[in-house]
Amino acid sequence: MDMEQYLDIFIEEAKEHLQNLNESILELENNPEDENLINEIFRIAHTIKGMAGTMGFTKMQKLTHDMENVLSEIRNGSFKVTTVLIDVLFKSLDALEGYNEEIASTGSEGAEEHNDLIRILNEILEGTYEAAAAVEVVAEPVVEEVQTLEDEENEYEKKFTQVNFDNYVRGTVVQAKSQNFNFFGLTVYISPKCVLKSARAFVLFKALEEIGEIVKTIPEVQDIEDEKFDLDISLFVLTKESKEKVLSVVENLSEIEKVLIDEAEIKEEVVEKVVDKQATKEEKTVKEKKEKPKTAKTVRVDIERLDILMNLASELIIIKNSLENIDGLKQNSSFNESVEYLERITTNLHDAVMKVRMVPVEQVFNRFPRMVRDLSKKLNKEIKLEMSGKETELDRTVIDEIGDPLLHLLRNAADHGLETPGERVAKGKNKEGHMKLRAFQDGNNVLIEVKDDGKGINLDKIKEKAINNGLISSTEVENLKKEQIMDFLFMPSFSTAKEVTDVSGRGVGLDVVKTKIQALGGSIEVDTEPGKGSTFTIRLPLTLAIIQALMVNIGLEKYAVPLNTIQTIEKIDSKDIKMVQNNEVIILRNKVIPIIRLDEILHVKKDQEDQDAITVVIVKKGEKLAGFVVDDLIGQQEIVIKSLGKYLSNIKLIAGATILGDGEVALILDINSLV
């Protein structure tokens, strides 16, 4: 069967399972006794193993299989969850994510086999892991190790004495014993000359099942079928036959080198607890099933298909705008009704497509608890991350791009913002530093805040660095506002960190963050208070494809101003324009607002003389306001944003272009660059 056609589905589903695995392990670290969590982690690992095996990714399958073995013992109650064990599980998770990324990039799982990790997992299973603290054995093996002198003298070993049973097997054995069944453990050694080991194992199973029931095998049946074992198999059989009869049945098979058999035991007190526990768990499961809410039916859709649908909706809006501009037909009432109907349809279609493309920011946020956990250990700081607003939705394109900027901000906050526990205690703070990641919708924008309760940003250091770098003179810097000083932080290679660490401090973070956010049509601001911490606020548009805009005339050209950036529109008397430090400003409702003459900045030729009264569009970028001087207002319009293409991508004042109803092209002003 050609599995290539399922590759994309495998990658996407593997991502989801790995993310769930990540969240579950994080939760397990805080609740190590939670059996539901352990079962959930086991189930996810088992699912990934099955998926990888089906797709032929054997290395991935092998790693998850060894993880599964360790998780199985935890589930059986043989081990307790410790910090070291959690670290090993996280390393295994990282390795699995590496496999998935390699598969997504190349279509194959690569050459890395992670043998060291597999060795550690096996050592944990055997109780020989060097770090010893990896697991804590909580109970003596249920089956006591009985090794006779006779066995020690030869090379064969009763390996079945080293096996632990899960709750299901324990319950089955107890019930069978009450009905006078015998319970035997066997270790069967297959001849080294045997060519088809799995076939010989099948014959062995068949012979034993004729006289009883096999309740457990080591290795698992799937591994035996795949010939993933050496020469020995351990089995546990429930039968009414005698020990000698069972031994005789097995020894009579061909290519069997040696059979070791003994009666296996399970401690009664353990069994009683297990049975009670199992009953309680079953009741709980039934209850959970009854309470489980009905989930909505969903279908997985390729993002490219949604892009095509969005493009078609965009073209429909352009055609609708074109119809609205046909002068000769505007007097025709039926034509107007048809256009209005078309407008309603296009608006509903646009909204529907947009909703399909919207995904919760949770998809991005979920990766950060693990990162903060690792940073906390690496930096020897106690850090608590609080997240809220994970259900806030953004366009899928924005979601794909916002992860790295947030990662930079959180790493900076952990490394430079938060103090060490000792420093915090000395300042009278809780030794545990707090970081908050919050998302919420504000009109047509989504705001994401990254906040810490650390030491804040030292403005004097920024000034000093700016002067030393020749960015500003010592005289000019004293006249700057707090916001203007903070802007230096977003300049390339600007860092006030004295030491460069592998976490941050190279000055390549915040300028990249700002560039990325602006490329998404958003903006970023920072506020800080010495001793109390800093807050970075990212403002992002809900969508990048279709927006409401105010169309204006500047000279003979038409421009679009995104409606979500407009605060007010004012008619200002020219005499009210003042000069402050050679810059034009107006005072509006007790606020000083700088005036930006777009015709001069955009080099547009004027088509009219200066008027006594001018039209000023007041726009807002974060907390900053600015007044755009325009010649005329055309009106509000729904526009489709088109890229300028790679040759014009470096033009900073223009965010894109749009096609108007009459076929004319209008440029969309980039508020982030102009304000």
Side-chain angles (χ1 to χ4, degrees):
M1 183 186 292
D2 180 16
M3 304 304 287
E4 286 292 321
Q5 57 183 318
Y6 302 114
L7 195 59
D8 290 340
I9 297 174
F10 168 81
I11 293 166
E12 285 302 313
E13 289 192 353
K15 274 184 188 174
E16 288 178 12
H17 286 304
L18 290 171
Q19 180 57 45
N20 291 336
L21 188 60
N22 182 34
E23 291 169 21
S24 298
I25 297 174
L26 274 172
E27 212 173 331
L28 182 66
E29 188 172 30
N30 297 323
N31 303 290
E33 303 290 337
D34 192 327
E35 289 185 15
N36 288 334
L37 271 176
I38 295 168
N39 287 332
E40 175 67 9
I41 293 170
F42 180 85
R43 187 190 64 75
I44 296 171
H46 185 74
T47 304
I48 295 173
K49 184 182 91 170
M51 290 167 55
T54 305
M55 294 297 293
F57 299 128
T58 54
K59 299 185 184 75
M60 199 173 183
Q61 184 187 20
K62 167 69 176 164
L63 182 56
T64 43
H65 176 74
D66 289 329
M67 274 180 76
E68 198 181 58
N69 286 342
V70 173
L71 291 166
S72 176
E73 293 306 316
I74 298 173
R75 197 167 65 153
N76 293 340
S78 304
F79 299 151
K80 264 192 173 180
V81 176
T82 65
T83 305
V84 177
L85 185 58
I86 290 287
D87 286 340
V88 174
L89 289 177
F90 270 131
K91 284 177 184 173
S92 303
L93 171 66
D94 292 341
L96 291 174
E97 286 179 335
Y99 279 135
N100 200 41
E101 287 171 9
E102 185 71 21
I103 291 166
S105 304
T106 65
S108 73
E109 57 186 337
E112 182 62 63
E113 295 189 352
H114 296 287
N115 286 326
D116 288 345
L117 198 51
I118 289 172
R119 177 182 55 76
I120 291 172
L121 287 168
N122 287 323
E123 286 179 359
I124 289 174
L125 202 61
E126 295 162 2
T128 58
Y129 182 40
E130 289 178 357
V135 293
E136 181 183 340
V137 179
V138 294
E140 291 181 0
V142 176
V143 179
E144 293 180 1
E145 186 173 343
V146 180
Q147 184 135 15
T148 64
L149 186 60
E150 183 183 350
D151 291 334
E152 288 175 355
E153 289 174 353
N154 60 43
E155 57 183 309
Y156 302 110
E157 185 183 358
K158 289 180 180 177
K159 293 188 177 179
F160 61 84
T161 61
Q162 303 166 8
V163 176
N164 292 314
F165 302 106
D166 60 26
N167 295 340
Y168 174 77
V169 173
R170 287 174 177 171
T172 304
V173 172
V174 170
Q175 193 175 4
K177 278 194 161 187
S178 68
Q179 297 172 13
N180 298 321
F181 275 82
N182 295 314
F183 183 43
F184 296 119
L186 301 91
T187 298
V188 180
Y189 288 85
I190 296 174
S191 169
K193 296 177 182 176
C194 178
V195 180
L196 298 172
K197 292 187 295 180
S198 61
R200 185 55 48 201
F202 174 75
V203 174
L204 170 65
F205 286 2
K206 192 175 179 185
L208 286 173
E209 283 171 350
E210 286 178 359
I211 58 170
E213 182 184 355
I214 302 171
V215 295
K216 185 174 179 67
T217 67
I218 302 294
E220 300 286 340
V221 174
Q222 183 63 50
D223 289 340
I224 293 172
E225 287 179 0
D226 295 340
E227 288 206 359
K228 293 179 179 176
F229 67 105
D230 294 329
L231 291 171
D232 60 281
I233 302 171
S234 291
L235 310 97
F236 293 87
V237 182
L238 284 168
T239 178
K240 289 198 172 180
E241 301 292 345
S242 66
K243 177 179 170 183
E244 291 72 22
K245 173 68 176 174
V246 176
L247 182 63
S248 168
V249 167
V250 180
E251 284 182 333
N252 285 334
L253 299 175
S254 59
E255 296 186 306
I256 297 297
E257 185 83 5
K258 182 72 177 177
V259 183
L260 301 176
I261 181 170
D262 215 334
E263 193 165 342
E265 292 182 0
I266 293 180
K267 291 179 180 176
E268 292 297 328
E269 61 272 23
V270 176
V271 172
E272 287 173 9
K273 287 180 184 174
V274 167
V275 172
D276 292 344
K277 211 171 178 181
Q278 197 168 348
T280 309
K281 192 182 289 180
E282 284 172 359
E283 287 173 11
K284 195 175 176 183
T285 307
V286 170
K287 193 177 175 184
E288 283 175 353
K289 279 183 180 175
K290 285 181 182 175
E291 293 173 353
K292 192 175 180 182
K294 187 180 177 183
T295 54
K297 292 181 180 177
T298 58
V299 60
R300 195 184 296 271
V301 180
D302 193 321
I303 188 70
E304 289 183 4
R305 295 188 182 185
L306 291 181
D307 287 341
I308 292 170
L309 196 57
M310 177 60 88
N311 285 336
L312 291 174
S314 303
E315 293 301 320
L316 205 53
I317 289 171
I318 292 172
I319 292 170
K320 183 255 303 180
N321 291 340
S322 175
L323 289 174
E324 287 176 339
N325 282 277
I326 299 176
D327 292 332
L329 294 173
K330 281 185 177 177
Q331 306 304 320
N332 187 320
S333 61
S334 66
F335 172 79
N336 287 333
E337 286 175 7
S338 297
V339 170
E340 286 173 8
Y341 181 65
L342 178 61
E343 184 168 3
R344 285 200 299 275
I345 296 293
T346 51
T347 302
N348 290 339
L349 178 63
H350 171 225
D351 289 345
V353 177
M354 282 308 305
K355 283 178 183 171
V356 172
R357 291 177 58 92
M358 301 293 270
V359 290
V361 293
E362 181 182 17
Q363 290 191 12
V364 180
F365 281 18
N366 282 345
R367 70 163 93 163
F368 297 130
R370 163 75 192 286
M371 183 199 77
V372 171
R373 172 196 179 271
D374 292 347
L375 278 177
S376 178
K377 292 194 166 198
K378 195 168 192 173
L379 299 170
N380 288 321
K381 294 180 179 178
E382 294 183 29
I383 305 173
K384 182 177 181 182
L385 174 65
E386 295 175 21
M387 299 192 297
S388 60
K390 291 195 286 186
E391 69 285 352
T392 309
E393 292 184 328
L394 269 170
D395 189 282
R396 171 62 192 258
T397 310
V398 180
I399 289 286
D400 289 343
E401 300 293 330
I402 195 63
D404 287 344
L406 289 177
L407 185 137
H408 272 293
L409 295 178
L410 287 168
R411 287 167 70 93
N412 270 350
D415 196 14
H416 301 303
L418 296 178
E419 308 94 332
T420 62
E423 289 171 340
R424 291 181 67 85
V425 170
K427 290 178 180 176
K429 292 182 174 180
N430 190 315
K431 64 178 182 179
E432 185 181 61
H434 283 71
M435 295 198 302
K436 291 183 180 176
L437 184 59
R438 185 167 79 109
F440 57 97
Q441 191 169 341
D442 180 24
N444 287 325
N445 294 298
V446 165
L447 269 62
I448 301 177
E449 287 181 354
V450 179
K451 188 174 183 179
D452 68 75
D453 67 345
K455 53 194 168 192
I457 299 170
N458 190 326
L459 296 181
D460 291 333
K461 278 189 179 178
I462 299 176
K463 290 180 186 175
E464 184 184 337
K465 189 76 177 178
I467 295 168
N468 292 339
N469 286 2
L471 299 172
I472 195 166
S473 70
S474 55
T475 310
E476 292 171 326
V477 80
E478 296 305 323
N479 296 323
L480 293 181
K481 294 179 182 175
K482 182 180 174 184
E483 299 79 31
Q484 292 172 310
I485 297 170
M486 302 285 244
D487 282 343
F488 286 118
L489 288 173
F490 296 100
M491 299 188 75
S493 303
F494 192 96
S495 174
T496 58
K498 289 181 179 176
E499 293 180 3
V500 174
T501 69
D502 57 350
V503 176
S504 58
R506 295 181 184 277
V508 294
L510 289 179
D511 69 306
V512 175
V513 168
K514 186 177 182 180
T515 305
K516 195 91 171 177
I517 299 296
Q518 289 186 341
L520 294 170
S523 61
I524 181 169
E525 291 182 336
V526 57
D527 190 20
T528 187
E529 194 169 347
K532 292 190 175 179
S534 307
T535 303
F536 286 83
T537 305
I538 295 173
R539 183 180 293 271
L540 292 164
L542 278 176
T543 175
L544 302 178
I546 300 170
I547 61 169
Q548 292 288 337
L550 174 69
M551 302 304 301
V552 299
N553 277 326
I554 302 171
L556 296 174
E557 298 178 6
K558 292 176 182 173
Y559 289 86
V561 185
L563 206 61
N564 62 336
T565 64
I566 297 176
Q567 188 84 353
T568 59
I569 299 171
E570 305 287 343
K571 204 75 173 176
I572 302 291
D573 196 317
S574 299
K575 292 183 290 186
D576 293 335
I577 297 177
K578 312 293 182 188
M579 296 298 291
V580 176
Q581 294 181 343
N582 293 324
N583 295 315
E584 289 184 315
V585 300
I586 56 172
I587 299 173
L588 187 68
R589 300 179 191 95
N590 297 324
K591 286 187 178 177
V592 178
I593 300 173
I595 290 294
I596 298 173
R597 293 190 181 270
L598 292 174
D599 57 341
E600 294 177 4
I601 291 179
L602 299 171
H603 304 289
V604 177
K605 188 178 179 183
K606 286 185 178 181
D607 70 328
Q608 51 185 291
E609 297 298 323
D610 289 340
Q611 305 291 319
D612 291 337
I614 59 173
T615 304
V616 179
V617 179
I618 309 294
V619 295
K620 186 177 182 182
K621 174 191 168 188
E623 296 303 317
K624 293 182 183 175
L625 294 173
F628 289 169
V629 178
V630 301
D631 292 336
D632 295 302
L633 302 175
I634 299 173
Q636 178 182 335
Q637 191 170 322
E638 191 174 40
I639 63 169
V640 179
I641 301 175
K642 298 285 186 183
S643 168
L644 291 176
K646 61 181 180 181
Y647 296 112
L648 301 176
S649 60
N650 292 326
I651 299 177
K652 288 191 174 180
L653 304 179
I654 305 299
T658 188
I659 302 171
L660 303 178
D662 57 2
E664 192 177 347
V665 173
L667 298 176
I668 303 166
L669 296 177
D670 183 2
I671 306 304
N672 281 325
S673 302
L674 287 164
V675 177

PDB file of all heavy atoms in Angstrom, residues 513-537:
ATOM      1  N   VAL A 513      11.733  40.463  16.875  1.00  0.00           N
ATOM      2  CA  VAL A 513      10.342  40.394  17.333  1.00  0.00           C
ATOM      3  C   VAL A 513       9.524  41.520  16.694  1.00  0.00           C
ATOM      4  O   VAL A 513       8.452  41.291  16.136  1.00  0.00           O
ATOM      5  CB  VAL A 513      10.279  40.511  18.875  1.00  0.00           C
ATOM      6  CG1 VAL A 513       8.841  40.729  19.340  1.00  0.00           C
ATOM      7  CG2 VAL A 513      10.847  39.260  19.530  1.00  0.00           C
ATOM      8  N   LYS A 514      10.068  42.739  16.744  1.00  0.00           N
ATOM      9  CA  LYS A 514       9.337  43.884  16.202  1.00  0.00           C
ATOM     10  C   LYS A 514       9.122  43.732  14.689  1.00  0.00           C
ATOM     11  O   LYS A 514       8.028  43.999  14.174  1.00  0.00           O
ATOM     12  CB  LYS A 514      10.110  45.171  16.488  1.00  0.00           C
ATOM     13  CG  LYS A 514       9.340  46.423  16.093  1.00  0.00           C
ATOM     14  CD  LYS A 514      10.107  47.672  16.462  1.00  0.00           C
ATOM     15  CE  LYS A 514       9.305  48.916  16.109  1.00  0.00           C
ATOM     16  NZ  LYS A 514      10.021  50.139  16.457  1.00  0.00           N
ATOM     17  N   THR A 515      10.170  43.304  13.994  1.00  0.00           N
ATOM     18  CA  THR A 515      10.058  43.132  12.545  1.00  0.00           C
ATOM     19  C   THR A 515       8.981  42.110  12.200  1.00  0.00           C
ATOM     20  O   THR A 515       8.178  42.301  11.281  1.00  0.00           O
ATOM     21  CB  THR A 515      11.415  42.657  11.966  1.00  0.00           C
ATOM     22  OG1 THR A 515      12.413  43.588  12.356  1.00  0.00           O
ATOM     23  CG2 THR A 515      11.356  42.578  10.463  1.00  0.00           C
ATOM     24  N   LYS A 516       8.974  41.037  12.968  1.00  0.00           N
ATOM     25  CA  LYS A 516       8.001  39.968  12.710  1.00  0.00           C
ATOM     26  C   LYS A 516       6.574  40.447  12.973  1.00  0.00           C
ATOM     27  O   LYS A 516       5.659  40.188  12.183  1.00  0.00           O
ATOM     28  CB  LYS A 516       8.316  38.793  13.644  1.00  0.00           C
ATOM     29  CG  LYS A 516       7.662  37.503  13.272  1.00  0.00           C
ATOM     30  CD  LYS A 516       8.573  36.718  12.361  1.00  0.00           C
ATOM     31  CE  LYS A 516       8.046  35.321  12.131  1.00  0.00           C
ATOM     32  NZ  LYS A 516       8.886  34.584  11.211  1.00  0.00           N
ATOM     33  N   ILE A 517       6.409  41.151  14.080  1.00  0.00           N
ATOM     34  CA  ILE A 517       5.070  41.644  14.435  1.00  0.00           C
ATOM     35  C   ILE A 517       4.578  42.647  13.389  1.00  0.00           C
ATOM     36  O   ILE A 517       3.421  42.610  12.968  1.00  0.00           O
ATOM     37  CB  ILE A 517       5.099  42.330  15.831  1.00  0.00           C
ATOM     38  CG1 ILE A 517       5.524  41.332  16.911  1.00  0.00           C
ATOM     39  CG2 ILE A 517       3.741  42.932  16.166  1.00  0.00           C
ATOM     40  CD1 ILE A 517       4.596  40.201  17.123  1.00  0.00           C
ATOM     41  N   GLN A 518       5.468  43.528  12.955  1.00  0.00           N
ATOM     42  CA  GLN A 518       5.073  44.524  11.959  1.00  0.00           C
ATOM     43  C   GLN A 518       4.747  43.864  10.628  1.00  0.00           C
ATOM     44  O   GLN A 518       3.870  44.316   9.891  1.00  0.00           O
ATOM     45  CB  GLN A 518       6.182  45.560  11.788  1.00  0.00           C
ATOM     46  CG  GLN A 518       6.301  46.489  13.001  1.00  0.00           C
ATOM     47  CD  GLN A 518       7.290  47.620  12.793  1.00  0.00           C
ATOM     48  OE1 GLN A 518       8.142  47.539  11.916  1.00  0.00           O
ATOM     49  NE2 GLN A 518       7.188  48.640  13.621  1.00  0.00           N
ATOM     50  N   ALA A 519       5.458  42.793  10.306  1.00  0.00           N
ATOM     51  CA  ALA A 519       5.173  42.077   9.065  1.00  0.00           C
ATOM     52  C   ALA A 519       3.773  41.468   9.087  1.00  0.00           C
ATOM     53  O   ALA A 519       3.163  41.245   8.040  1.00  0.00           O
ATOM     54  CB  ALA A 519       6.212  40.971   8.852  1.00  0.00           C
ATOM     55  N   LEU A 520       3.273  41.232  10.288  1.00  0.00           N
ATOM     56  CA  LEU A 520       1.919  40.689  10.438  1.00  0.00           C
ATOM     57  C   LEU A 520       0.884  41.798  10.526  1.00  0.00           C
ATOM     58  O   LEU A 520      -0.288  41.536  10.782  1.00  0.00           O
ATOM     59  CB  LEU A 520       1.843  39.820  11.700  1.00  0.00           C
ATOM     60  CG  LEU A 520       2.669  38.536  11.682  1.00  0.00           C
ATOM     61  CD1 LEU A 520       2.694  37.903  13.063  1.00  0.00           C
ATOM     62  CD2 LEU A 520       2.112  37.562  10.666  1.00  0.00           C
ATOM     63  N   GLY A 521       1.342  43.043  10.354  1.00  0.00           N
ATOM     64  CA  GLY A 521       0.424  44.174  10.419  1.00  0.00           C
ATOM     65  C   GLY A 521       0.143  44.603  11.848  1.00  0.00           C
ATOM     66  O   GLY A 521      -0.816  45.331  12.108  1.00  0.00           O
ATOM     67  N   GLY A 522       0.967  44.157  12.788  1.00  0.00           N
ATOM     68  CA  GLY A 522       0.742  44.478  14.186  1.00  0.00           C
ATOM     69  C   GLY A 522       1.760  45.447  14.728  1.00  0.00           C
ATOM     70  O   GLY A 522       2.586  46.005  13.998  1.00  0.00           O
ATOM     71  N   SER A 523       1.715  45.666  16.028  1.00  0.00           N
ATOM     72  CA  SER A 523       2.660  46.569  16.680  1.00  0.00           C
ATOM     73  C   SER A 523       2.999  46.008  18.058  1.00  0.00           C
ATOM     74  O   SER A 523       2.284  45.158  18.586  1.00  0.00           O
ATOM     75  CB  SER A 523       2.062  47.971  16.821  1.00  0.00           C
ATOM     76  OG  SER A 523       0.896  47.915  17.629  1.00  0.00           O
ATOM     77  N   ILE A 524       4.111  46.504  18.616  1.00  0.00           N
ATOM     78  CA  ILE A 524       4.521  46.041  19.945  1.00  0.00           C
ATOM     79  C   ILE A 524       4.960  47.230  20.773  1.00  0.00           C
ATOM     80  O   ILE A 524       5.590  48.163  20.261  1.00  0.00           O
ATOM     81  CB  ILE A 524       5.654  44.988  19.854  1.00  0.00           C
ATOM     82  CG1 ILE A 524       6.046  44.511  21.259  1.00  0.00           C
ATOM     83  CG2 ILE A 524       6.853  45.501  19.085  1.00  0.00           C
ATOM     84  CD1 ILE A 524       6.948  43.304  21.263  1.00  0.00           C
ATOM     85  N   GLU A 525       4.592  47.220  22.031  1.00  0.00           N
ATOM     86  CA  GLU A 525       4.969  48.278  22.965  1.00  0.00           C
ATOM     87  C   GLU A 525       5.449  47.651  24.255  1.00  0.00           C
ATOM     88  O   GLU A 525       5.114  46.493  24.552  1.00  0.00           O
ATOM     89  CB  GLU A 525       3.773  49.176  23.266  1.00  0.00           C
ATOM     90  CG  GLU A 525       3.350  50.015  22.086  1.00  0.00           C
ATOM     91  CD  GLU A 525       2.190  50.914  22.445  1.00  0.00           C
ATOM     92  OE1 GLU A 525       1.468  50.578  23.397  1.00  0.00           O
ATOM     93  OE2 GLU A 525       2.021  51.932  21.784  1.00  0.00           O
ATOM     94  N   VAL A 526       6.204  48.435  25.017  1.00  0.00           N
ATOM     95  CA  VAL A 526       6.686  47.919  26.293  1.00  0.00           C
ATOM     96  C   VAL A 526       6.487  48.984  27.359  1.00  0.00           C
ATOM     97  O   VAL A 526       6.645  50.173  27.111  1.00  0.00           O
ATOM     98  CB  VAL A 526       8.173  47.493  26.196  1.00  0.00           C
ATOM     99  CG1 VAL A 526       9.056  48.630  25.733  1.00  0.00           C
ATOM    100  CG2 VAL A 526       8.673  46.954  27.530  1.00  0.00           C
ATOM    101  N   ASP A 527       6.082  48.538  28.516  1.00  0.00           N
ATOM    102  CA  ASP A 527       5.972  49.419  29.671  1.00  0.00           C
ATOM    103  C   ASP A 527       6.744  48.760  30.815  1.00  0.00           C
ATOM    104  O   ASP A 527       6.778  47.526  30.912  1.00  0.00           O
ATOM    105  CB  ASP A 527       4.506  49.610  30.058  1.00  0.00           C
ATOM    106  CG  ASP A 527       4.351  50.718  31.093  1.00  0.00           C
ATOM    107  OD1 ASP A 527       5.280  51.547  31.210  1.00  0.00           O
ATOM    108  OD2 ASP A 527       3.323  50.750  31.792  1.00  0.00           O
ATOM    109  N   THR A 528       7.354  49.579  31.637  1.00  0.00           N
ATOM    110  CA  THR A 528       8.146  48.993  32.720  1.00  0.00           C
ATOM    111  C   THR A 528       8.083  49.880  33.950  1.00  0.00           C
ATOM    112  O   THR A 528       7.879  51.099  33.852  1.00  0.00           O
ATOM    113  CB  THR A 528       9.609  48.798  32.275  1.00  0.00           C
ATOM    114  OG1 THR A 528      10.300  48.079  33.292  1.00  0.00           O
ATOM    115  CG2 THR A 528      10.303  50.131  32.041  1.00  0.00           C
ATOM    116  N   GLU A 529       8.274  49.253  35.087  1.00  0.00           N
ATOM    117  CA  GLU A 529       8.316  49.992  36.342  1.00  0.00           C
ATOM    118  C   GLU A 529       9.435  49.396  37.182  1.00  0.00           C
ATOM    119  O   GLU A 529       9.408  48.174  37.474  1.00  0.00           O
ATOM    120  CB  GLU A 529       6.978  49.853  37.083  1.00  0.00           C
ATOM    121  CG  GLU A 529       6.833  50.848  38.192  1.00  0.00           C
ATOM    122  CD  GLU A 529       5.405  50.885  38.747  1.00  0.00           C
ATOM    123  OE1 GLU A 529       4.501  50.335  38.121  1.00  0.00           O
ATOM    124  OE2 GLU A 529       5.239  51.444  39.819  1.00  0.00           O
ATOM    125  N   PRO A 530      10.421  50.216  37.550  1.00  0.00           N
ATOM    126  CA  PRO A 530      11.568  49.682  38.291  1.00  0.00           C
ATOM    127  C   PRO A 530      11.136  48.921  39.542  1.00  0.00           C
ATOM    128  O   PRO A 530      10.330  49.408  40.325  1.00  0.00           O
ATOM    129  CB  PRO A 530      12.376  50.934  38.652  1.00  0.00           C
ATOM    130  CG  PRO A 530      11.982  51.951  37.633  1.00  0.00           C
ATOM    131  CD  PRO A 530      10.556  51.652  37.297  1.00  0.00           C
ATOM    132  N   GLY A 531      11.658  47.718  39.674  1.00  0.00           N
ATOM    133  CA  GLY A 531      11.369  46.909  40.859  1.00  0.00           C
ATOM    134  C   GLY A 531      10.072  46.136  40.789  1.00  0.00           C
ATOM    135  O   GLY A 531       9.828  45.260  41.624  1.00  0.00           O
ATOM    136  N   LYS A 532       9.221  46.469  39.793  1.00  0.00           N
ATOM    137  CA  LYS A 532       7.917  45.792  39.740  1.00  0.00           C
ATOM    138  C   LYS A 532       7.722  44.950  38.484  1.00  0.00           C
ATOM    139  O   LYS A 532       6.792  44.140  38.414  1.00  0.00           O
ATOM    140  CB  LYS A 532       6.792  46.816  39.851  1.00  0.00           C
ATOM    141  CG  LYS A 532       6.735  47.475  41.220  1.00  0.00           C
ATOM    142  CD  LYS A 532       5.482  48.301  41.381  1.00  0.00           C
ATOM    143  CE  LYS A 532       5.391  48.857  42.796  1.00  0.00           C
ATOM    144  NZ  LYS A 532       4.205  49.693  42.979  1.00  0.00           N
ATOM    145  N   GLY A 533       8.550  45.177  37.480  1.00  0.00           N
ATOM    146  CA  GLY A 533       8.464  44.321  36.303  1.00  0.00           C
ATOM    147  C   GLY A 533       8.157  45.070  35.017  1.00  0.00           C
ATOM    148  O   GLY A 533       8.090  46.305  34.995  1.00  0.00           O
ATOM    149  N   SER A 534       7.980  44.311  33.950  1.00  0.00           N
ATOM    150  CA  SER A 534       7.750  44.883  32.616  1.00  0.00           C
ATOM    151  C   SER A 534       6.584  44.185  31.945  1.00  0.00           C
ATOM    152  O   SER A 534       6.275  43.033  32.241  1.00  0.00           O
ATOM    153  CB  SER A 534       8.996  44.716  31.746  1.00  0.00           C
ATOM    154  OG  SER A 534      10.130  45.230  32.396  1.00  0.00           O
ATOM    155  N   THR A 535       5.959  44.907  31.000  1.00  0.00           N
ATOM    156  CA  THR A 535       4.864  44.326  30.216  1.00  0.00           C
ATOM    157  C   THR A 535       5.086  44.647  28.742  1.00  0.00           C
ATOM    158  O   THR A 535       5.198  45.817  28.361  1.00  0.00           O
ATOM    159  CB  THR A 535       3.501  44.911  30.652  1.00  0.00           C
ATOM    160  OG1 THR A 535       3.333  44.678  32.045  1.00  0.00           O
ATOM    161  CG2 THR A 535       2.375  44.264  29.879  1.00  0.00           C
ATOM    162  N   PHE A 536       5.193  43.614  27.922  1.00  0.00           N
ATOM    163  CA  PHE A 536       5.254  43.776  26.473  1.00  0.00           C
ATOM    164  C   PHE A 536       3.857  43.499  25.934  1.00  0.00           C
ATOM    165  O   PHE A 536       3.257  42.463  26.240  1.00  0.00           O
ATOM    166  CB  PHE A 536       6.245  42.799  25.849  1.00  0.00           C
ATOM    167  CG  PHE A 536       7.687  43.173  26.096  1.00  0.00           C
ATOM    168  CD1 PHE A 536       8.311  42.824  27.279  1.00  0.00           C
ATOM    169  CD2 PHE A 536       8.400  43.881  25.138  1.00  0.00           C
ATOM    170  CE1 PHE A 536       9.630  43.174  27.510  1.00  0.00           C
ATOM    171  CE2 PHE A 536       9.721  44.235  25.360  1.00  0.00           C
ATOM    172  CZ  PHE A 536      10.332  43.887  26.554  1.00  0.00           C
ATOM    173  N   THR A 537       3.330  44.435  25.140  1.00  0.00           N
ATOM    174  CA  THR A 537       1.989  44.280  24.586  1.00  0.00           C
ATOM    175  C   THR A 537       2.065  44.212  23.061  1.00  0.00           C
ATOM    176  O   THR A 537       2.567  45.128  22.411  1.00  0.00           O
ATOM    177  CB  THR A 537       1.086  45.461  24.994  1.00  0.00           C
ATOM    178  OG1 THR A 537       1.096  45.556  26.428  1.00  0.00           O
ATOM    179  CG2 THR A 537      -0.340  45.242  24.519  1.00  0.00           C
TER     180      THR A 537
END
